[in-house]
Amino acid sequence: VQLVESGGGSVQAGGSLTLSCAAGRYTYKRNCMGWFRQAPGKEREKVATINTGDGSTAVANSVKGRFAISQDKAKNTVYLQMNSLKPEDTAMYYCAADSPAPTGGNWYCFAVAKYKYWGQGTQVTVS
């Protein structure tokens, strides 16, 4: 699965950005797609996941209420809407996929999936 992220950039605190992840043609109808981020000197953090089969989503507590993940099935594209951005959201953001997802719902994609496919990343800087 080829993943291509876009939409990163620089924004002032309190602003918004939307990241996009365009995936190649899915082999399976139900997949896990996720957004991760990694800041310099910090471990990679899982931000949000979506089950492409039924659209179930989950977000990390650190971004709950500010970030949302969604998909456009027709375009094989997953989005990360980021609102009320804070300087601590500054990081490289990566799109990732795990295929197939053996079940629907949000639990497997957020808690269990081992994401095997990764995009190149897109930088988000909040000042």
Side-chain angles (χ1 to χ4, degrees), residues 14-82:
S16 299
L17 280 175
T18 300
L19 306 183
S20 299
C21 174
R25 186 178 63 88
Y26 293 134
T27 301
Y28 300 96
K29 291 186 178 180
R30 188 170 58 207
N31 309 274
C32 293
M33 296 289 294
W35 285 99
F36 295 74
R37 68 184 181 184
Q38 188 166 21
K42 294 188 176 181
E43 292 188 358
R44 186 173 63 199
E45 177 187 13
K46 186 183 305 175
V47 176
T49 61
I50 186 166
N51 185 314
T52 65
D54 60 12
S56 297
T57 64
V59 296
N61 288 333
S62 59
V63 302
K64 194 164 291 184
R66 300 188 298 121
F67 290 14
I69 187 171
S70 62
Q71 66 173 341
D72 184 330
K73 279 191 169 182
K75 296 182 179 180
N76 279 357
T77 299
V78 173
Y79 304 96
L80 184 68
Q81 176 66 45
M82 305 184 294

Side-chain angles (χ1 to χ4, degrees), residues 88-110:
E88 50 263 44
D89 295 318
T90 295
M92 185 71 78
Y93 283 71
Y94 297 92
C95 176
D98 185 31
S99 180
T103 182
N106 61 16
W107 173 79
Y108 179 85
C109 289
F110 193 83

Side-chain angles (χ1 to χ4, degrees), residues 5-10 17-20 82 93 122-125:
E5 304 103 329
S6 61
S10 297
L17 280 175
T18 300
L19 306 183
S20 299
M82 305 184 294
Y93 283 71
T122 186
Q123 178 69 38
V124 172
T125 302

